[in-house]
Amino acid sequence: MTTTLAGGLHKAQEAVRNASSGSKKAVDLERDISDIHTKLPLTSDHGVRIPNTDQWLRVIGEDKNHSIGPTLLEDQLAREKIHRFDHERIPERVVHARGTGAFGNFRLFQSCEDVTHAGILTDTSRNTPVFVRFSTVQGSRGSADTVRDVRGFAVKFYTDEGIWDLVGNNIPVFFIQDAIKFPDMVHSLKPEPHNEVPQAQTAHNNFWDFAFLHEEATHMFMWIMSDRAVPRSFRMMQGFGVNTFVLVNKQGKRHFVKFHWIPKLGVHSLVWDEALKLGGQDPDFHRKDLMEAIDNKAYPKWEFAIQLIPEEKEHDFEFDILDSTKIWPEDLVPLRVIGELELNRNVDEFFTETEQVAFCTSHVVPGIDFSDDPLLIGRNFSYFDTQISRLGINWEELPINRPVCPVLNHNRDGQMRHRITQGTVNYWPNRFDAAPPAGPNEGAFDTLQAKVAGVKKRAVGEKFREHISQAQLFWNSMSAHEKLHIIKAFSFELDHCDDPTVYQRLAGTRLPEIDLHLAQKVAEAVGAPIPTQPLKQNHGKRAPHLSQDEFATAKPTIESRKIAIIIGDGYDRVAFMGMKAAVLAAGAVPVIIGLKRSPIYAEGDARGVIADHQYDGQRSTMFDATFVPGGSHVKTLIKNGQIRHWIAESFGHLKAIGATGEAVQLVETALRDVEGLKVAGAHESQHVEWYGVVTAGQQKAESFSEGVKIVKDAK
Ligand code: HDD
């Protein structure tokens, strides 16, 4: 089937590395890469060859029993091995600890020289290497991938003018407006201090207490309760720079800017039940999905777009454009698509690359600058600081973090300094004019002169104090089933709060400010007094591209999706082969699920096929669709409760199910008890054409143009 994670990676990685050897970063990393797959002898860290790494030096009795005597501390080789092991762990990221990353390239399609002089945003001939790390926010490093959470979308561009880190999320707004609130926010959403429960989720008293007491969190928590917080794949989610940055052109004119990533595969989500189950069944679901797609050359791509507001229009909006709890609605500020990101190479080693990669919002390149967004300014302090505690002061010298352009300055020393700088001076000015500041036309990052006036105080502007309008905008823009999912998400989360103060005031006081129906449904579900009046008038406005339904690809695609094909002895080989070929031709991945992983024989066929997996090792949740060919194997399948559950569960998760011949009866039997089901149009066709993969975002599960056709209203 596919290149699996368990084996064969080494060769695949080598091939990809060779293929991408044009990338400046790939070339740069080469000098630090060594290969374990050699037959060279083992050595200590100081390079001395070691004859034995299995037995600690000890005294062995000379009698015939060879009795074990004292183990000797003098064994410096054993000591080195244990010392190294004892210090393997570094502090995990205080947030975004769980994540995975990949290399790729960024290409610019359209020069933005009208608004910036940044090389990466003006030179369309460049192919800029990038490293991208996706993450969840709340959980620790070993937590599950599919939890309800924001996803980090951090991009490191290795540009010719230095590193640009665009450290974003898959949700365009943030919980808080001021960085000084970040520790409170993170403490409230992390496990509670007295018992360190729960792991990687907001479904607890402290988070919802914080959320209520910070009205500014309202807009963001609406997004978190939506399908955006349970993506199907990192490859199928949007990315946002969130903060407002500034672009500066050659003439010194400034534009405020927001950055967007739009996935080519559309925006798709899991349904909550799937996400919950996958948390236990396959905690690595998202990282495996990304790695396997790249290994299979199904390289994920995102369009890169910007929203621009000229400096003089800063105050033309109802909201403050520097407030990161607000979006810039696309009907007011349209997107300009300017480039494309592709991820095409997995890491060679997780720790040295994905774990040690370190992002800093303060890392921008000339032509890109910061706005006065108060969250951004605080971030610019925090990221550098956190890397010092995680990796040490010389973290920017680590292979994954170092730029591909020359680095030369008078910064020196500190723990684990690698670079060796020749010369007799390490200060500026010096008598040799060594490493002088860049001159006026030497492409330096130069802060534009700006007049600043005001009163120094701890406060925010007037527009920063309105928090409900865009929460309403988001709610109004949702489709019916997205609204239902939000109601169910609130009901789940607040059900996990056992302090009535917490769930009652959230459901009874905050939600009625957004929408009465939402508030009533949630209050009823979680046992809060049911509100009868809206507490704020809903303005009724909507905005484009808030509903993820609007990102459906023009033509439904099953590219890179995993399709389970279930077979046992006696399966119909023609239907099986036909579907397998059709799935492959559509760029999807067929995965054969057998009743066993020993050879399975089709009717009248002695060759046998080896399944990729046996059914009990997998679950329907791990696949996007299921197909069962007809044949006498159905007699066995139909008696198997787990197989029937597989079909019913897939159906419950709005996935396409296909069957031919006798297998139609299996599907009907499995779905007999599912409420509201109609199995229509089933016929005996041996040849079923795949029609499309249905995701949670769709109203109806209409899956095949022929064969079994299942119609069901949205859950
Ligand atoms: Fe942050 C990590 C995204 C606000 C402080 N943040 C981190 C990562 C992402 C974001 C994607 C993981 C980077 C990686 O993969 O290594 N953070 C955001 C976004 C924010 C935001 C989109 C709002 C616009 N963050 C934010 C604030 C602060 C921090 C306001 C502090 C004042 N964030 C951190 C951090 C982390 C971090 C503690 C933890 C690990 C790291 O930086 O490298 O410094």
Side-chain angles (χ1 to χ4, degrees):
M1 179 197 113
T2 58
T3 311
T4 62
L5 289 175
L9 262 191
H10 171 66
K11 281 209 161 53
Q13 285 172 328
E14 196 177 290
V16 176
R17 180 133 37 84
N18 291 341
S20 65
S21 56
S23 152
K24 275 191 191 165
K25 191 61 194 172
V27 172
D28 171 61
L29 289 174
E30 285 292 338
R31 59 186 157 116
D32 285 289
I33 293 176
S34 63
D35 190 344
I36 199 75
H37 293 265
T38 69
K39 295 286 178 243
L40 290 174
L42 199 68
T43 75
S44 73
D45 280 334
H46 63 292
V48 170
R49 290 187 175 179
I50 298 177
N52 178 334
T53 187
D54 302 320
Q55 268 99 33
W56 197 304
L57 195 65
R58 62 175 60 90
V59 179
I60 299 289
E62 288 185 309
D63 56 13
K64 68 176 176 1
N65 296 326
H66 292 294
S67 58
I68 297 267
T71 295
L72 303 177
L73 201 56
E74 74 176 54
D75 185 349
Q76 87 282 13
L77 300 176
R79 283 195 335 254
E80 181 190 81
K81 189 170 174 183
I82 299 296
H83 282 318
R84 290 303 314 256
F85 172 76
D86 289 344
H87 296 272
E88 273 181 10
R89 294 290 168 273
I90 60 170
E92 67 173 30
R93 290 166 173 86
V94 59
V95 281
H96 296 264
R98 171 79 184 171
T100 199
F103 292 94
N105 302 82
F106 173 75
R107 282 176 195 278
L108 186 73
F109 296 148
Q110 191 193 100
S111 170
C112 300
E113 61 196 347
D114 53 328
V115 289
T116 177
H117 61 87
I120 185 168
L121 299 179
T122 51
D123 183 351
T124 52
S125 68
R126 286 192 192 185
N127 190 5
T128 305
V130 298
F131 185 80
V132 177
R133 183 172 178 273
F134 301 109
S135 48
T136 55
V137 177
Q138 307 167 68
S140 53
R141 212 183 136 189
S143 57
D145 280 348
T146 58
V147 296
R148 175 176 294 283
D149 201 352
V150 190
R151 297 301 185 283
F153 195 131
V155 183
K156 186 178 283 296
F157 298 88
Y158 302 93
T159 87
D160 293 350
E161 294 81 18
I163 299 280
W164 176 27
D165 287 333
L166 183 54
V167 196
N169 280 342
N170 75 329
I171 287 177
V173 287
F174 206 60
F175 286 115
I176 47 169
Q177 299 170 314
D178 187 327
I180 200 170
K181 293 302 307 171
F182 194 68
D184 295 307
M185 182 207 109
V186 173
H187 288 171
S188 85
L189 57 77
K190 284 275 187 180
E192 297 194 358
H194 59 297
N195 57 5
E196 220 188 32
V197 172
Q199 178 57 242
Q201 47 190 301
T202 48
H204 60 111
N205 288 326
N206 284 2
F207 173 75
W208 287 106
D209 188 30
F210 177 92
F212 177 79
L213 294 169
H214 291 78
E215 204 184 59
E216 70 203 68
T218 309
H219 187 197
M220 173 82 162
F221 75 55
M222 290 299 288
W223 284 80
I224 307 279
M225 291 302 103
S226 79
D227 295 340
R228 301 280 186 153
V230 277
R232 156 64 182 82
S233 158
F234 291 135
R235 302 176 292 127
M236 298 168 201
M237 60 184 205
Q238 270 181 290
F240 303 91
V242 182
N243 291 119
T244 300
F245 288 83
V246 165
L247 294 182
V248 187
N249 69 10
K250 271 203 180 122
Q251 294 72 41
K253 174 150 176 64
R254 289 158 41 106
H255 279 79
F256 294 102
V257 63
K258 280 200 189 276
F259 298 106
H260 295 245
W261 300 106
I262 305 151
K264 290 277 203 184
L265 289 170
V267 180
H268 302 282
S269 291
L270 300 168
V271 292
W272 181 228
D273 185 60
E274 243 180 323
L276 277 179
K277 288 174 175 166
L278 279 168
Q281 293 166 347
D282 194 0
D284 307 305
F285 185 73
H286 282 148
R287 60 168 62 170
K288 278 161 55 182
D289 169 271
L290 181 68
M291 290 182 210
E292 287 180 358
I294 293 174
D295 280 341
N296 291 328
K297 300 201 167 19
Y299 300 139
K301 293 191 177 77
W302 286 261
E303 284 178 335
F304 187 55
I306 52 177
Q307 283 181 296
L308 294 167
I309 297 177
E311 190 173 22
E312 61 277 11
K313 301 221 159 130
E314 177 179 353
H315 302 295
D316 287 8
F317 300 86
E318 276 174 12
F319 52 89
D320 197 308
I321 67 165
L322 304 185
D323 172 358
S324 40
T325 66
K326 305 291 188 321
I327 56 160
W328 298 354
E330 288 177 31
D331 47 349
L332 304 182
V333 189
L335 293 188
R336 175 165 155 189
V337 178
I338 57 169
E340 185 179 276
L341 164 73
E342 175 185 273
L343 296 183
N344 49 28
R345 182 161 85 79
N346 281 318
V347 297
D348 287 311
E349 191 184 22
F350 194 91
F351 180 82
T352 43
E353 300 184 297
T354 309
E355 193 56 22
Q356 294 202 132
V357 70
F359 297 87
C360 267
T361 49
S362 53
H363 285 175
V364 292
V365 289
I368 303 173
D369 208 339
F370 312 109
S371 73
D372 287 334
D373 173 345
L375 197 77
L376 176 59
I377 303 308
R379 291 181 78 194
N380 287 350
F381 171 78
S382 181
Y383 287 71
F384 197 97
D385 192 35
T386 209
Q387 310 315 352
I388 298 173
S389 89
R390 235 166 42 86
L391 303 163
I393 187 66
N394 283 310
W395 63 271
E396 285 171 279
E397 286 189 349
L398 291 170
I400 188 68
N401 294 324
R402 68 184 172 221
V404 293
C405 62
V407 173
L408 185 67
N409 58 42
H410 304 292
N411 296 338
R412 286 293 192 278
D413 307 349
Q415 283 193 342
M416 310 306 263
R417 177 74 167 176
H418 284 184
R419 193 178 308 124
I420 301 167
T421 314
Q422 293 178 325
T424 56
V425 290
N426 54 2
Y427 53 87
W428 177 260
N430 58 65
R431 62 194 181 281
F432 306 108
D433 264 358
N441 294 317
E442 289 187 311
F445 177 89
D446 202 5
T447 303
L448 276 189
Q449 292 192 8
K451 199 167 169 188
V452 179
V455 180
K456 195 197 293 185
K457 57 180 180 175
R458 297 186 190 274
V460 286
E462 180 66 31
K463 288 181 186 171
F464 268 70
R465 278 177 250 152
E466 195 290 310
H467 305 298
I468 303 300
S469 172
Q470 290 206 350
Q472 292 179 348
L473 188 74
F474 181 73
W475 172 256
N476 297 345
S477 305
M478 294 294 101
S479 59
H481 63 269
E482 285 174 319
K483 285 185 174 167
L484 195 51
H485 292 168
I486 292 174
I487 291 169
K488 290 185 79 136
F490 273 117
S491 305
F492 179 96
E493 295 268 315
L494 296 182
D495 177 71
H496 283 66
C497 302
D498 57 11
D499 185 338
T501 316
V502 172
Y503 60 81
Q504 287 184 359
R505 62 189 183 181
L506 200 284
T509 312
R510 184 57 29 77
L511 295 187
E513 294 184 326
I514 302 164
D515 181 81
L516 186 60
H517 174 71
L518 163 69
Q520 288 174 330
K521 285 290 184 194
V522 175
E524 186 186 3
V526 304
I530 299 175
T532 52
Q533 298 288 330
L535 293 182
K536 277 208 170 112
Q537 205 53 45
N538 186 312
H539 50 59
K541 285 188 224 153
R542 293 158 178 245
H545 291 136
L546 301 186
S547 164
Q548 65 187 59
D549 287 5
E550 292 175 39
F551 292 89
T553 41
K555 194 164 160 272
T557 176
I558 62 167
E559 205 185 302
S560 79
R561 298 284 189 146
K562 282 170 94 171
I563 318 294
I565 305 183
I566 302 181
I567 55 169
D569 285 329
Y571 70 95
D572 173 349
R573 190 171 162 80
V574 175
F576 166 79
M577 294 301 283
M579 179 53 77
K580 199 174 155 204
V583 167
L584 282 170
V589 182
V591 184
I592 305 171
I593 306 294
L595 288 178
K596 55 190 177 190
R597 202 152 64 174
S598 339
I600 296 176
Y601 298 96
E603 280 165 351
D605 171 57
R607 278 173 290 176
V609 74
I610 305 277
D612 295 303
H613 297 284
Q614 57 100 10
Y615 75 101
D616 197 24
Q618 305 290 300
R619 293 293 182 271
S620 81
T621 43
M622 300 165 186
F623 301 91
D624 295 289
T626 294
F627 173 73
V628 191
S632 60
H633 71 151
V634 170
K635 282 191 212 127
T636 319
L637 297 181
I638 216 161
K639 282 191 240 147
N640 186 316
Q642 252 176 272
I643 298 287
R644 293 203 307 276
H645 174 69
W646 182 302
I647 307 276
E649 189 179 50
S650 302
F651 181 78
H653 295 157
L654 296 168
K655 289 173 180 171
I657 303 165
T660 55
E662 295 86 337
V664 172
Q665 200 202 336
L666 166 67
V667 175
E668 283 178 337
T669 309
L671 300 186
R672 193 164 289 147
D673 298 331
V674 182
E675 205 190 337
L677 167 75
K678 269 195 277 168
V679 178
H683 62 76
E684 296 296 300
S685 167
Q686 292 287 299
H687 210 72
V688 179
E689 191 191 327
W690 202 267
Y691 174 72
V693 166
V694 176
T695 65
Q698 277 174 254
Q699 277 279 71
K700 289 177 179 176
E702 278 191 18
S703 316
F704 300 93
S705 56
E706 292 182 78
V708 178
K709 190 173 172 200
I710 298 157
V711 182
K712 185 177 180 287
D713 286 335
K715 291 197 294 180

